[in-house]
Amino acid sequence: PKVIEELRLAFEPKQEVDSSWLSEPRDSHAKIVASCLTKLALIGGDRDGASYNKLLVMTVLRSVRDLLPRSNPGDAHADELARALTHIRSALSEAFANLLAEDVVLPWLQARLDRWDPQSDPVSPHVWVFPWLPVFGKHKIRALFTPFASRVSGLMSGWNARDPSVVNILDPWLPVARQIEIDHFLERHVVGPVARLLQSISSDELAVCSSAGNCRSMRPALRWHGFMQDRALARLFLENLFPQWLRALYEKLSLAIDHKSYGRDVSASNNGIETGSAMQSATQWYVSWKSGFPGELGKTPELSAGFLAGLDVMNAAVDHGIDSLAGSEVLSFLDARVAEIRADSLAFTLNTSTDTKQYQPSRSRAQRESANPRASTKDVVAHAAAANQLVFASSGGNEAGYVLYSLNHVSLYFDSAQQGVIMARVPPSRIFNPISLEDLIALASTSSPNPTYCRCAGTFI
């Protein structure tokens, strides 16, 4: 009985809150209590012993049940109680901690969440919820994200994606909540407004932006990087931004390529090899955009498909002239690349093993095309370059009647008379010799590309 009374008093707050209540001596006292509890647990055998847990119920649980109704989340009494429980957490059994969380503290916090008004209350709930994280851990506290998200939902009617308030209010929960719950909230309330925002960005706006990161109109969408899964956000960009981006690319190519010269730069010399300023600008614009998305976002299959569509447009302009592309024709290249993404996703699903219940990924497109006699060697090289983050481009010259390309610093062409054999010139030699795809990739990986070398970014990867 004496121990029980001492423990009860240890949790009984003073009637008036003053500096001594929140001072270090109080925390030191809580540590002493934790030490005593640990010793009692050892006397009883361990923390899971019935007698020891009965002691916890008669002291800690009873005190918390008495104190919480007299406190509000976030006030001094509640925060001090959370600190005291943090100090003695190591002395509590898991069963008792679960009982304390599920029967007492979480219902108390949720009742406060149910009264929280995000439009009028300036204090975000994480301020008074997260002090309990050291006591119960993420696996318990994350249960409060659903009622929290339900309250935030009231803000989302008519929400404009340019408004950063929702990002700010969700951000503290990112390391706590389950990703599936965050995805559910984003799918219901965020994806639609962000899609409409991206659709509203014109090709003229994109043309004057040097990269995605420097495009002011895109910043509200890029804020969601880290909240949305990379492929989900990339899909939004692919479907709602890349149509305008391809039109911007088309306009830049129109300025750079003579409509009747079939790929020769207007500002180039008569041999059609040198890089003119307009084509150089279009090339650099493409390269900057491709490298301008943060983190792993730019490496997703969806954004890779968008930039491959841009490559297709540039290839067509180089090989057949800009007159071969009507303004709306460029979107057909995007449609084709999107169809490939969907086909790959379907193949991944169809390759599911019913015996092992494990997904077996489909072969890469490069693997399929290398096994497909109708696939061009140029496409295989393009996809290998994409996989290795290399720059593959039409250089505008010719060798033995074939169009010259560059893979980083390596000049090459495809000999159709020999079923598309790769012919490459290895510096300092000026002679083109056959080379395997593996050796070509290894050779091209030894130095960085120089985009100003290329007359056109025809097949940049």
Side-chain angles (χ1 to χ4, degrees), residues 213-256:
N214 292 326
C215 190
R216 179 175 297 179
S217 300
M218 286 180 56
R219 288 175 188 170
L222 287 172
R223 287 192 196 111
W224 294 101
H225 180 236
F227 289 85
M228 291 188 192
Q229 297 188 56
D230 282 344
R231 293 198 62 176
L233 183 57
R235 192 176 305 115
L236 279 176
F237 284 119
L238 178 65
E239 296 175 354
N240 301 285
L241 184 78
F242 267 84
Q244 303 94 286
W245 184 85
L246 284 176
R247 292 190 187 98
L249 176 62
Y250 171 80
E251 293 300 327
K252 286 182 175 290
L253 292 172
S254 297
L255 295 174

Side-chain angles (χ1 to χ4, degrees), residues 313-333:
V313 171
M314 300 176 88
N315 270 336
V318 169
D319 295 342
H320 307 294
I322 200 70
D323 282 341
S324 66
L325 300 172
S328 59
E329 181 73 13
V330 296
L331 297 184
S332 65
F333 293 100

Side-chain angles (χ1 to χ4, degrees), residues 103-269:
D103 285 10
V104 184
V105 178
L106 292 184
W108 174 71
L109 289 171
Q110 182 168 341
R112 176 64 181 91
L113 268 175
D114 292 340
R115 300 192 304 271
W116 176 64
D117 185 350
Q119 293 181 319
S120 61
D121 193 336
V123 180
S124 183
H126 77 274
V127 173
W128 39 265
V129 169
F130 287 3
W132 298 91
L133 270 170
V135 184
F136 302 118
K138 290 193 298 184
H139 67 290
K140 291 296 182 184
I141 297 299
R142 64 175 38 146
L144 296 172
F145 179 77
T146 297
F148 164 76
S150 177
R151 302 302 294 171
V152 176
S153 298
L155 290 174
M156 305 307 294
S157 178
W159 174 70
N160 189 308
R162 292 181 175 85
D163 177 6
S165 62
V166 177
V167 170
N168 296 336
I169 206 171
L170 287 175
D171 183 65
W173 290 86
L174 197 57
V176 176
R178 295 181 182 89
Q179 185 62 48
I180 190 171
E181 294 176 335
I182 294 176
D183 291 344
H184 180 67
F185 178 87
L186 298 177
E187 185 66 31
R188 289 188 60 190
H189 302 294
V190 174
V191 168
V194 171
R196 290 189 290 273
L197 169 72
L198 293 174
Q199 292 167 8
S200 71
I201 302 174
S202 68
S203 59
D204 291 339
E205 290 179 87
L206 296 175
V208 299
C209 295
S210 60
S211 68
N214 292 326
C215 190
R216 179 175 297 179
S217 300
M218 286 180 56
R219 288 175 188 170
L222 287 172
R223 287 192 196 111
W224 294 101
H225 180 236
F227 289 85
M228 291 188 192
Q229 297 188 56
D230 282 344
R231 293 198 62 176
L233 183 57
R235 192 176 305 115
L236 279 176
F237 284 119
L238 178 65
E239 296 175 354
N240 301 285
L241 184 78
F242 267 84
Q244 303 94 286
W245 184 85
L246 284 176
R247 292 190 187 98
L249 176 62
Y250 171 80
E251 293 300 327
K252 286 182 175 290
L253 292 172
S254 297
L255 295 174
I257 300 178
D258 179 46
H259 284 241
K260 296 181 180 180
S261 64
Y262 293 93
R264 285 189 293 108
D265 193 333
V266 175
S267 58
S269 65

Side-chain angles (χ1 to χ4, degrees), residues 240-439:
N240 301 285
L241 184 78
F242 267 84
Q244 303 94 286
W245 184 85
L246 284 176
R247 292 190 187 98
L249 176 62
Y250 171 80
E251 293 300 327
K252 286 182 175 290
L253 292 172
S254 297
L255 295 174
I257 300 178
D258 179 46
H259 284 241
K260 296 181 180 180
S261 64
Y262 293 93
R264 285 189 293 108
D265 193 333
V266 175
S267 58
S269 65
N270 292 334
N271 63 18
I273 296 178
E274 289 92 340
T275 300
S277 60
M279 182 57 70
Q280 184 177 350
S281 175
T283 296
Q284 188 59 54
W285 184 81
Y286 177 94
V287 173
S288 296
W289 267 88
K290 187 177 184 301
S291 60
F293 284 89
E296 297 295 310
L297 185 61
K299 300 177 184 178
T300 55
E302 287 74 15
L303 287 190
S304 295
F307 287 113
L308 283 170
L311 293 176
D312 295 337
V313 171
M314 300 176 88
N315 270 336
V318 169
D319 295 342
H320 307 294
I322 200 70
D323 282 341
S324 66
L325 300 172
S328 59
E329 181 73 13
V330 296
L331 297 184
S332 65
F333 293 100
L334 184 61
D335 293 340
R337 294 298 181 177
V338 170
E340 288 182 2
I341 292 289
R342 292 172 178 165
D344 284 343
S345 297
L346 179 60
F348 183 88
T349 302
L350 293 178
N351 282 336
T352 302
S353 169
T354 56
D355 296 329
T356 63
K357 303 298 183 182
Q358 292 179 343
Y359 288 109
Q360 302 296 327
S362 63
R363 294 181 300 168
S364 68
R365 184 173 184 265
Q367 289 173 319
R368 294 197 309 272
E369 290 184 338
S370 63
N372 181 356
R374 295 176 296 176
S376 70
T377 309
K378 185 175 72 173
D379 283 344
V380 175
V381 171
H383 283 272
N388 291 275
Q389 297 294 301
L390 301 175
V391 175
F392 180 43
S394 169
S395 63
N398 66 81
E399 176 73 21
Y402 298 112
V403 175
L404 274 178
Y405 295 88
S406 66
L407 184 64
N408 277 20
H409 64 294
V410 181
S411 295
L412 65 126
Y413 68 90
F414 304 101
D415 189 346
S416 59
Q418 300 185 54
Q419 297 182 336
V421 168
I422 305 170
M423 304 292 291
R425 183 176 61 195
V426 181
S429 172
R430 299 187 62 82
I431 299 174
F432 287 82
N433 291 301
I435 190 172
S436 68
L437 177 61
E438 292 76 11
D439 289 343

